[in-house]
Amino acid sequence: MIVPGYRDNPTEPWDPDAPVDPGEAEDFLRRCYTENPRLGPVEARLAIVRAQIAATGTYTHTPDELTHGARMAWRNASRCIGRLYWRSLLVLDRRRARTADEIYSLLVQHLQTAGDTQIRPVISVFAPAQPGQPYARVWNEQLIRYAGYRTEGGESVGDPRLREFTTAVRAFGWQGKGEAFDVLPLVIETPADGIRLYELPERAIREVPITHPELGWFTELGLRWHAVPTIANMRLTIGGVHYPLAPFNGWYLGTEIGARNLADADRYDMLPVVADRLGLDTSRESTLWRDRALLELNRAVLHSFEQAGVKMSDHHTESQRFLKHLSNEEKAGRPVPADWTWIVPPMSGGITPVFHRYYQELDLRPNFYLDDEAAALAREGMRRCPHHQ
């Protein structure tokens, strides 16, 4: 997925009660102002920030600092192959929003902004955490995810990855249709309103039906996928300031849908179905029926997004672009952290240029982090009764 990173192993765990580290703040500001000479000398700004931290335990980023900090976080995201575009990230400053209703409205705007025509990278940055104070967050791992159910007969319907989360939101009063592609409600938690559930309006959900360029029966499978992959539960940290609610998106890499979401045995598990419709011999692995089914499923995904006019990259093209990013950063004198297991595509990895390299795994900041509690909420939810919208 071409989005700003998936990082969940910071060098030091986040302590929400701790004040901002002045050293981390200074390191960020010096780099930010060096990379943006138009901002002027940094020394005067550092004096202000030091005073703010001493008085309150934190400080407030200027709009320019917030924008460049968010872009730097994408640039440092070691698990993202699409970082060539880091300068293009649209940063929406939503720090004034406080209520669940305000946040919900702005999240809908995010999805519309990101997916209105061509998909564009967008991040909405909400209020930072204050030391020792509760903060707003979204439980969902992505703004758009499909529910997962288990029928009375034991059949799996929808996305098994979201089955426990679906059970949790159903306990809150949401029901769903029990179908394969039911969009889950947003679970927004704020200090002012507690936990609230919101259904996304149709105007915010752009979906692509999956068809095949040659195999007409593909439409009978009833597959589709949403167009805007927006990670919602990762903490953005910039110069020691933490933003627990900073949803961001890029555009999909075809294999994220075709080789993972629809293909994984613990997700939609479509390879046996596609292989059967292709008439393949599935009696033994050596027929490579999985590989052949996987290829046609991925061809269908790329074809469908292209036909719908929705931006998507293939894994060969994006691998070449990542090498361009490496070259650009080397010329700029900056290290490029990269996790080989995420950079190499989950299909045909050995014939992409990113396979035949070694990378350095670094914890550079600014960055995005997935905290344990956020991961647990996205996986299982919590059985506290919210006001249901």
Side-chain angles (χ1 to χ4, degrees), residues 156-179:
S156 178
V157 177
D159 192 343
R161 176 186 175 93
L162 278 299
R163 192 177 296 144
E164 290 186 66
F165 189 83
T166 302
T167 299
V169 297
R170 292 181 85 177
F172 293 161
W174 182 82
Q175 290 304 310
K177 300 177 182 178
E179 298 177 353

Side-chain angles (χ1 to χ4, degrees), residues 27-343:
D27 178 70
F28 161 68
L29 289 169
R30 288 193 182 280
R31 285 185 291 129
C32 178
Y33 280 66
T34 296
E35 294 181 15
N36 296 273
R38 65 179 180 80
L39 299 180
V42 72
E43 295 301 332
R45 176 63 177 146
L46 284 173
I48 294 172
V49 167
R50 291 187 189 111
Q52 287 183 338
I53 295 173
T56 67
T58 187
Y59 68 103
T60 301
H61 288 129
T62 67
D64 284 327
E65 292 165 0
L66 185 72
T67 295
H68 194 68
R71 290 171 177 169
M72 289 174 71
W74 185 4
R75 189 177 77 197
N76 289 334
S78 64
R79 295 182 176 180
C80 178
I81 194 174
R83 285 175 276 167
L84 178 63
Y85 323 101
W86 68 271
R87 295 182 188 275
S88 71
L89 181 65
L90 174 63
V91 181
L92 302 177
D93 187 347
R94 306 306 198 190
R95 289 178 288 179
R96 292 186 178 182
R98 290 294 182 271
T99 69
D101 286 349
E102 290 173 325
I103 291 171
Y104 165 70
S105 177
L106 293 171
L107 294 178
V108 170
Q109 287 185 35
H110 178 118
L111 288 169
Q112 292 180 293
T113 300
D116 187 34
T117 52
Q118 278 291 343
I119 309 300
R120 64 173 304 177
V122 179
I123 183 170
S124 293
V125 184
F126 290 86
Q130 302 295 319
Q133 301 296 317
Y135 50 83
R137 60 185 170 188
V138 168
W139 289 12
N140 311 61
E141 66 175 6
Q142 292 194 26
L143 294 185
I144 300 176
R145 274 300 204 198
Y146 297 119
Y149 310 94
R150 177 77 72 182
T151 67
E152 292 183 0
E155 179 184 359
S156 178
V157 177
D159 192 343
R161 176 186 175 93
L162 278 299
R163 192 177 296 144
E164 290 186 66
F165 189 83
T166 302
T167 299
V169 297
R170 292 181 85 177
F172 293 161
W174 182 82
Q175 290 304 310
K177 300 177 182 178
E179 298 177 353
F181 296 98
D182 291 349
V183 175
L184 285 160
L186 294 180
V187 184
I188 301 174
E189 182 178 5
T190 65
D193 300 314
I195 304 164
R196 306 283 291 270
L197 265 64
Y198 295 84
E199 293 268 13
L200 283 169
E202 289 187 9
R203 68 180 186 278
I205 305 170
R206 190 174 182 183
E207 292 181 297
V208 177
I210 306 301
T211 62
H212 193 280
E214 297 149 11
L215 305 172
W217 52 259
F218 235 90
T219 59
E220 299 171 13
L221 302 180
L223 301 177
R224 63 177 184 265
W225 206 260
H226 60 92
V228 184
T230 309
I231 305 298
N233 67 338
M234 296 189 77
R235 168 174 52 89
L236 167 65
T237 180
I238 301 173
V241 177
H242 303 277
Y243 297 91
L245 181 52
F248 55 82
N249 74 274
W251 54 86
Y252 269 116
L253 195 64
T255 51
E256 181 69 17
I257 300 171
R260 299 302 308 277
N261 297 341
L262 294 178
D264 281 354
D266 59 352
R267 300 294 297 284
Y268 279 80
D269 195 22
M270 291 302 301
L271 294 187
V273 176
V274 173
D276 180 66
R277 295 298 295 264
L278 288 169
L280 302 179
D281 177 4
T282 61
S283 64
R284 61 190 191 281
E285 296 295 343
S286 60
T287 66
L288 301 185
W289 64 269
R290 297 182 194 277
D291 305 71
R292 295 174 65 185
L294 185 68
L295 174 61
E296 298 306 332
L297 184 54
N298 279 270
R299 288 186 67 207
V301 169
L302 288 167
H303 165 78
S304 301
F305 273 66
E306 182 179 357
Q307 289 295 108
V310 176
K311 192 169 188 175
M312 169 177 278
S313 291
D314 68 86
H315 49 294
H316 296 285
T317 300
E318 211 54 55
S319 294
Q320 294 163 4
R321 289 173 178 168
F322 184 69
L323 295 188
K324 173 62 174 174
H325 172 67
L326 292 178
S327 175
N328 289 348
E329 293 301 293
E330 182 179 355
K331 292 176 184 177
R334 293 188 291 257
V336 180
D339 183 339
W340 190 94
T341 64
W342 281 71
I343 297 299

Side-chain angles (χ1 to χ4, degrees), residues 358-373:
Y358 292 100
Y359 304 98
Q360 189 173 9
E361 178 63 62
L362 301 169
D363 182 16
L364 300 182
R365 299 187 183 186
N367 216 317
F368 296 90
Y369 298 99
L370 179 60
D371 298 309
D372 290 342
E373 185 177 4

